[in-house]
Amino acid sequence: MLTLLVTMVERLGILVMIAFILTRFPFFRDMIYQEKLNRKQQLTAIVFFGFFGIIGTYSGLTLSTDNLEINRWTSDLSADEAIANSRVIGVVLAGLLGGYKVGLGAGLIAGFHRFTLGGFTGLACGLATIIAGVLAGTFYRKNKLVKLRSAFFIGALAETLQMAVILLLARPFEKSWTLVEMIGVPMILANGLGCALFLLIIKSVISEEEKAGALQAQKTLRIAEKTLSYLRNGLTTNSAKIVCHILHNEMNTRAVAMTNLSEILAHVGLGHDHHRSESPIQTEITMEAIDKGEMVVADQQSIHCRVKSCPLGAAVISPLKQRGETIGTLKFYFASEKEITPVNMELISGLSSLLSNQLELADADKSYQLAKEAEIKALQAQISPHFLFNTLNTILSLVRVDPAKARKLLLSLSHFLRQNLSVTTQRMTTLGQELNHVKAYLAIEEARFKDKLQIVYDIEENALLETIPPLTLQPIVENAIKHGMKDTERNGIVKITIHKQYLATHVKVEDNGIGMNKERTSQICKSPINSETGSGLALYNVNRRLTIMYGDHAGLQINSELHKGTEIGFSVPCTEVS
C-alpha cells in the first residue's frame, strides 16, 4: 500500500506540468475570476478537463487482483485488472471551477473513456467518474475562490465514492474487495492531495504574474507622478534630462536617452562621454523609429557606435507622439539583447505612451493658456476704444466753453493714454496702477460734472500691491458715472473701496444714482443687453475676464435698487507682486 501511494504521488509530477500549461489558457483564468462562463468557454473547459481525466487514467498503475502485480503504465486491461489512477482530479477540478455542467461534461468524457478500456471495474469506474463531476459541481460557488483545504476533501470524497461504487457494481465481489483494500487509501489520499496541489500551483503562478503586473503598474504610476511636472513645459533639453534621470533610476538600464526629430536632447547613464546631449541623431535605427512611428529593437551593430569599447550593446527605441504624429523618441540601452525581456518591452511601450500623453496634455494646456490670453487681450482691445471715445466727447464739449480747462484735460488724457497703452500690453497689473488709471479718468469726469460729482476713496494701501487684469476697475467706475449719474443734478457720490480680508482682496464701487430694477440687475454680466441706455458690454467684458482668470467665484457681484443706487464689487485671491 505504501509503495502504491509513493508511486502515485510521483505521478503527480505530470499534473504539475499540466497545471502550469493550464495557466497559459485564457479560458482557465476566466474560470477562476469570471462570475459565469459563456457556452464557448464551458465547452472548452469540458473538453480540456475531460482529456485531463484521460491523461490521469493513462498515467495510472495497472493492478492485477490475481497475482497483485503492478504495471507501471496503463494499456488494455484483462478481466482481472484495474487501474489505480488520478483521473478524478481533472473531473473534480472541472466541477469546482466551472460548475456542475462542466463537471458533468468532463466526467462523461473521462468516464466513457475509462469504460472502453475494459477490466472488471470498467463500468463502475466510468460511472463513478461521472458522479464525481456532478458532486464537485455542487460545491461550486460563484464569486468565491476554491480553498486548498476544500479541494483536498472534495477530491478525497470523490475517490471514496468511487471505491463505494466499485464495491456495489464490480463483480466478482471478492476481487472488488481485494482491489479496494489495496488501492482505496492510497488513491483517496493521492487524489485529494493532487486536487489541492494542482490548485496551489495554478494559484501560485497566477498570483506571481499578478504581483509582477502590480509592481509594473506601481512603477509606471510612480514614474508618471515624478515626470508630470517636468513635461508640462514640453519636450525640451532641460525636461528631457530630468525625465531621463528618473527613468534611468527606476528602470535600472545601462542608459536612457530622449531625442526630438533631429537631435539628442538628453543622454543619462553609461556612454554619456560619447553619446552626447544636444548633438545630431546619428543612427539610422532611430530615424527608422521616427519614420515608422513604431518601437524597434537595435543590436550593437544597429546602434553604430563609433567607440569600440562602448558598454551599450542593445537598445529599445520607442516613438513619442502628439496627436498621432511622432515628435521624438525614447531610448533605453542595455548591455545585450538578452536583457530585453518581454516584460521590459511591455513596460517601455507603456512608458512611451504615458510620456506621449503627458506631452500632449502639456501642449493642450499651453494652447488653452494662449487662447485664454488672446481672449483677454481681445477683450482689453474692446474696452480701450470704448473709454477713449467717451473721454474725447467730454473734452470736445469743454473746448468751446473753457479752452484752458480743455488743455488741462488734454494733459490728463495724455497721461491716461500713456498709462493705458502700457497696461494693455501686460497680462496683469497692480491695483495701485489700476487706481492711478482710474484717477486720471476721474480728473476728466470731475471737470465734466462740476459741483455735482464727488469721489470718495476708502483704500487700504497694502491692498494696492495685489494683481488684477488691466482695465478692470475703470469700466466699473465709468459705468457708475455714465449710467448711475445720468439724471443726477447734484450730490452725486461715487465711492471706491479696496480692502484686504483673509485670503482675498475685495474691490467695490458704489454710487447713489438712479439704480436698476431686479430684472436688469440679473441680466447684467450674463450677456450684452440691447438697450437705449447702453449694451452693458463693458461690464460683461470685465466679468468675463475675471471669471477666465480666477473662476466663477471672482465674477462681478451687483446689488442695485431703483432710485437708491448701485453697488458693484469683485474679489480676487491675494497674489502680491514684488
Side-chain angles (χ1 to χ4, degrees):
M1 183 181 296
L2 182 60
T3 302
L4 179 61
L5 176 60
V6 172
T7 305
M8 289 194 66
V9 171
E10 288 177 352
R11 295 292 172 91
L12 293 181
I14 299 174
L15 299 181
V16 173
M17 179 185 68
I18 296 175
F20 180 78
I21 294 173
L22 193 58
T23 59
R24 305 297 96 190
F25 290 93
F27 86 89
F28 184 74
R29 294 173 182 265
D30 293 336
M31 289 183 69
I32 293 180
Y33 296 112
Q34 201 163 295
E35 180 179 351
K36 185 177 180 181
L37 301 179
N38 57 39
R39 288 187 178 182
K40 182 179 179 181
Q41 290 170 325
Q42 286 181 338
L43 181 60
T44 303
I46 287 171
V47 173
F48 184 91
F49 282 106
F51 279 97
F52 183 17
I54 293 174
I55 293 172
T57 299
Y58 280 122
S59 64
L61 305 171
T62 302
L63 178 67
S64 173
T65 55
D66 286 341
N67 54 25
L68 302 182
E69 289 184 354
I70 297 175
N71 185 4
R72 292 285 177 175
W73 295 100
T74 299
S75 56
D76 292 336
L77 303 179
S78 62
D80 62 340
E81 289 182 328
I83 306 173
N85 60 80
S86 55
R87 175 178 58 253
V88 75
I89 295 176
V91 177
V92 166
L93 288 172
L96 287 177
L97 299 175
Y100 77 93
K101 291 183 180 180
V102 177
L104 175 61
L108 286 170
I109 293 174
F112 180 75
H113 170 264
R114 171 62 188 90
F115 173 75
T116 61
L117 292 179
F120 75 99
T121 62
L123 177 60
C125 289
L127 182 61
T129 302
I130 299 172
I131 294 172
V134 177
L135 172 67
T138 62
F139 289 93
Y140 169 73
R141 296 291 181 270
K142 290 182 179 179
N143 301 322
K144 288 188 178 180
L145 296 176
V146 182
K147 296 181 180 179
L148 298 179
R149 183 174 58 184
S150 300
F152 174 82
F153 284 115
I154 295 169
L157 177 60
E159 195 59 51
T160 302
L161 287 176
Q162 179 167 269
M163 296 300 110
V165 173
I166 290 174
L167 291 175
L168 288 173
L169 299 181
R171 293 297 180 268
F173 180 77
E174 293 78 10
K175 289 185 177 182
S176 300
W177 179 259
T178 301
L179 177 68
V180 171
E181 208 174 23
M182 291 183 62
I183 71 172
V185 174
M187 285 188 65
I188 290 171
L189 293 176
N191 284 304
L193 180 62
C195 289
L197 180 61
F198 188 91
L199 202 60
L200 174 63
I201 293 168
I202 290 171
K203 285 187 174 182
S204 297
V205 171
I206 293 178
S207 176
E208 287 299 318
E209 289 182 355
E210 290 178 344
K211 184 178 179 180
L215 290 174
Q216 184 173 325
Q218 187 179 25
K219 180 182 288 187
T220 303
L221 291 174
R222 187 166 61 247
I223 291 172
E225 183 180 4
K226 290 181 178 180
T227 58
L228 180 59
S229 60
Y230 301 106
L231 289 178
R232 284 177 179 170
N233 297 322
L235 190 59
T236 65
T237 302
N238 291 333
S239 64
K241 184 176 181 179
I242 296 172
V243 170
C244 284
H245 273 289
I246 294 170
L247 293 175
H248 182 53
N249 293 333
E250 291 286 347
M251 294 286 290
N252 295 320
T253 56
R254 288 297 180 97
V256 178
M258 292 182 75
T259 77
N260 56 22
L261 296 179
S262 59
E263 67 177 359
I264 301 170
L265 297 176
H267 182 100
V268 175
L270 298 178
H272 64 86
D273 55 332
H274 56 279
H275 290 269
R276 296 184 180 278
S277 302
E278 300 182 51
S279 60
I281 296 174
Q282 299 178 2
T283 59
E284 294 182 7
I285 196 75
T286 302
M287 298 309 298
E288 180 182 339
I290 292 173
D291 293 339
K292 292 184 177 180
E294 299 175 355
M295 187 166 62
V296 297
V297 177
D299 55 21
Q300 192 168 30
Q301 186 176 1
S302 300
I303 294 176
H304 293 302
C305 185
R306 65 181 182 275
V307 178
K308 293 183 179 181
S309 60
C310 180
L312 308 177
V316 178
I317 306 170
S318 189
L320 296 172
K321 297 184 177 183
Q322 280 185 5
R323 299 186 183 89
E325 297 293 328
T326 302
I327 62 167
T329 64
L330 180 62
K331 305 169 73 172
F332 292 87
Y333 289 95
F334 300 87
S336 67
E337 288 186 84
K338 289 182 179 180
E339 294 184 1
I340 304 176
T341 64
V343 173
N344 282 336
M345 290 288 289
E346 185 176 351
L347 182 57
I348 291 170
S349 177
L351 286 174
S352 64
S353 297
L354 172 69
L355 298 183
S356 293
N357 289 335
Q358 289 183 347
L359 289 169
E360 194 156 335
L361 287 173
D363 186 61
D365 184 61
K366 184 177 180 180
S367 298
Y368 171 74
Q369 293 296 333
L370 290 174
K372 186 168 69 173
E373 291 178 13
E375 182 174 2
I376 290 172
K377 291 186 181 297
L379 293 172
Q380 290 175 351
Q382 291 176 352
I383 293 172
S384 297
H386 182 75
F387 169 76
L388 179 60
F389 295 149
N390 280 280
T391 303
L392 289 175
N393 285 334
T394 300
I395 295 175
L396 184 62
S397 66
L398 291 172
V399 167
R400 298 178 181 177
V401 296
D402 194 341
K405 182 174 289 189
R407 287 194 296 270
K408 184 178 178 179
L409 293 181
L410 279 172
L411 292 175
S412 297
L413 176 60
S414 175
H415 172 77
F416 174 83
L417 288 178
R418 283 196 300 271
Q419 194 167 353
N420 187 60
L421 290 173
S422 66
V423 297
T424 54
T425 60
Q426 303 169 359
R427 181 172 176 267
M428 301 293 289
T429 188
T430 64
L431 268 170
Q433 292 173 320
E434 186 76 358
L435 185 61
N436 290 334
H437 204 188
V438 168
K439 286 180 177 180
Y441 164 76
L442 289 175
I444 299 172
E445 294 300 88
E446 281 182 303
R448 177 185 175 191
F449 296 104
K450 185 179 179 180
D451 299 329
K452 69 175 184 176
L453 176 62
Q454 180 184 358
I455 308 298
V456 178
Y457 297 96
D458 182 6
I459 309 295
E460 286 186 6
E461 292 298 324
N462 63 338
L464 296 180
L465 294 177
E466 304 301 334
T467 56
I468 60 173
L471 294 176
T472 297
L473 184 57
Q474 187 270 336
I476 300 175
V477 174
E478 181 180 346
N479 181 81
I481 294 174
K482 180 179 178 181
H483 299 290
M485 302 293 133
K486 179 181 178 183
D487 298 323
T488 300
E489 295 297 331
R490 65 183 62 185
N491 299 325
I493 299 175
V494 173
K495 182 179 180 181
I496 301 173
T497 304
I498 303 176
H499 284 179
K500 287 183 71 172
Q501 188 175 10
Y502 301 113
L503 298 177
T505 299
H506 304 277
V507 179
K508 184 169 58 176
V509 177
E510 303 169 78
D511 69 71
N512 62 347
I514 60 174
M516 297 179 288
N517 58 37
K518 291 183 178 180
E519 181 181 359
R520 186 173 179 84
T521 301
S522 64
Q523 293 176 340
I524 293 290
C525 298
K526 292 184 178 179
S527 62
I529 301 170
N530 292 323
S531 162
E532 293 181 359
T533 59
S535 65
L537 179 63
L539 293 184
Y540 170 77
N541 285 336
V542 170
N543 183 70
R544 175 70 171 159
R545 284 189 295 153
L546 287 171
T547 55
I548 287 175
M549 294 295 298
Y550 304 108
D552 292 340
H553 64 278
L556 295 180
Q557 303 295 320
I558 303 176
N559 295 308
S560 185
E561 289 187 45
L562 279 174
H563 310 299
K564 290 187 177 181
T566 300
E567 176 186 304
I568 301 178
F570 62 89
S571 300
V572 294
C574 292
T575 53
E576 291 189 2
V577 297
S578 57

